Amino acid sequence: MKSWETGFSRAYMFAEVVPRSLRSARIAHIRDTRSGRPRSGWGPRAVGETVFDEFFIAINSVLRDIPADEAITAYVDRCAVIADEFATLGVRGANQDPGPPEILSRQSRRFVATPYDQITFRVNDPLPASVAGFDPAADDEASARVLSHGGSRRRWLIWVHGAAQGRPDDLFTFRAAHLHNNLDFELVLPVLPAHGPRSVPGVAYPGFDPILNVLITMRAVAEIRSLIGWIETHDPIDITIAGTSLGGPIAALVASLDPRVSSVMATVPMLDMHRTLTHHMSRGGIRGKLMADLLSSEPVRTVSAVMDPLSVEPYAEPDRRMVIAALNDRITSVTAAQRLHQHWGGRVHWYQGSHVGSVFSGDVKAVADNFLLGRPSQPVNHPAG
């Protein structure tokens, strides 16, 4: 049962959508550029895009099932038990190469006018034995959507979706037909564990159980690396990985663990999952602040470090690394995107709007296409402010 305080906090979040959007858009517009980031745009479009971000956050606050305080305390206690082991493993020790996948099936399907193949596969168990029993996807069949011209010596692109995606409409959202037919990529869209047809009842990812978040991320990284082994059987010219939002840090980890990836792009990346969750939870009244404190504790940070893309570096050359950041990103964080760019070097594009708005931006699409095709970055004219 939801407490009165929690219900009130959620209602207040809806009431604050427009006022918060106005304040946020204005602050992003008058930002001190000594931060290293340009100012965002200002006007009806900028405010409207921010409203979409804030409304998305408010909707999720209502739909998300918040565990009892005791449950979150227990989650943190479990992190304390394995913290030393994970600290010793680090990113590379915790994320071992699972080898090529066992392909179980490949079926021809269609989404509207876009034909694709749905492949299901299994990977060798990638998780440390001490925590494998917590993995909700241990017996699950992995899956991916593939658009292929057939043959060898082609360019391959893996695109990793964001939270609450993994459905066939990802083919539309990520412009699969365009990337495949016009840019001539062999395209793979993996379905992340606990998403789309792989949803697990009672399991949210990202959710409030830090160990589940970490294990599912590790499994996602292993599945994508295994898919790279399958791609290798097609003698590719090169392999690029891109990720949006939640998929951004997953793409970054894969590119930093697997030397077969020659280019990487992270779009509006959710760099630190638990920091993002605690930022939004801290708005949720007294109880939200309490849960945010628990998920910010030292054991959670230690365990989460095995999925930190800032502790490793991509094999790709700096010019083949791209971060696309939204200057008024209310769902993830423009600061996080800036930190990833500073760690990577390479290219960055500052989109003049919000997280949700970046998905529909012709500007972002053009920048992404130029990067994927290996074209030089084009100068961007930022509005005066």
Side-chain angles (χ1 to χ4, degrees), residues 178-197:
H178 167 72
L179 296 170
H180 180 57
N181 297 323
N182 300 333
L183 271 57
D184 203 32
F185 280 100
E186 306 287 271
L187 183 63
V188 179
L189 293 96
V191 178
L192 295 179
H195 279 75

Side-chain angles (χ1 to χ4, degrees), residues 156-206:
W156 285 75
L157 170 61
I158 303 167
W159 202 298
V160 189
H161 65 75
Q165 294 184 299
R167 303 176 303 270
D169 58 87
D170 288 353
L171 295 163
F172 170 77
T173 303
F174 300 120
R175 305 181 298 140
H178 167 72
L179 296 170
H180 180 57
N181 297 323
N182 300 333
L183 271 57
D184 203 32
F185 280 100
E186 306 287 271
L187 183 63
V188 179
L189 293 96
V191 178
L192 295 179
H195 279 75
R198 305 182 64 189
S199 296
V200 180
V203 173
Y205 172 64

Side-chain angles (χ1 to χ4, degrees), residues 197-351:
R198 305 182 64 189
S199 296
V200 180
V203 173
Y205 172 64
F208 294 108
D209 185 339
I211 291 182
L212 281 188
N213 290 334
V214 171
L215 296 188
I216 293 173
T217 299
M218 291 166 63
R219 177 166 290 281
V221 168
E223 290 176 356
I224 295 169
R225 293 186 71 186
S226 192
L227 280 172
I228 291 173
W230 173 76
I231 290 171
E232 274 206 312
T233 65
H234 298 79
D235 191 22
I237 294 174
D238 57 50
I239 300 172
T240 296
I241 189 166
T244 298
S245 193
L246 174 65
I250 293 173
L253 284 168
V254 171
S256 301
L257 293 166
D258 204 310
R260 296 170 292 186
V261 176
S262 57
S263 302
V264 57
M265 180 172 68
T267 301
V268 291
M270 183 189 290
L271 190 61
D272 186 323
M273 183 186 302
H274 293 130
R275 181 176 292 183
T276 301
L277 285 171
T278 56
H279 168 72
H280 294 309
M281 288 164 61
S282 64
R283 300 185 190 181
I286 296 171
R287 185 163 180 251
K289 290 181 173 62
L290 172 64
M291 291 189 293
D293 288 342
L294 287 169
L295 289 184
S296 302
S297 63
E298 183 64 29
V300 174
R301 292 199 302 271
T302 300
V303 171
S304 301
V306 301
M307 59 176 187
D308 179 12
L310 295 182
S311 63
V312 285
E313 186 171 349
Y315 287 93
E317 294 296 322
D319 190 56
R320 297 309 303 151
R321 309 171 189 175
M322 164 68 87
V323 175
I324 296 179
L327 287 167
N328 195 22
D329 191 331
R330 303 297 295 165
I331 294 174
T332 56
S333 164
V334 66
T335 301
Q338 183 181 29
R339 290 170 62 214
L340 185 62
H341 165 59
Q342 289 170 342
H343 178 64
W344 279 3
R347 305 193 201 184
V348 65
H349 176 69
W350 304 106
Y351 169 60

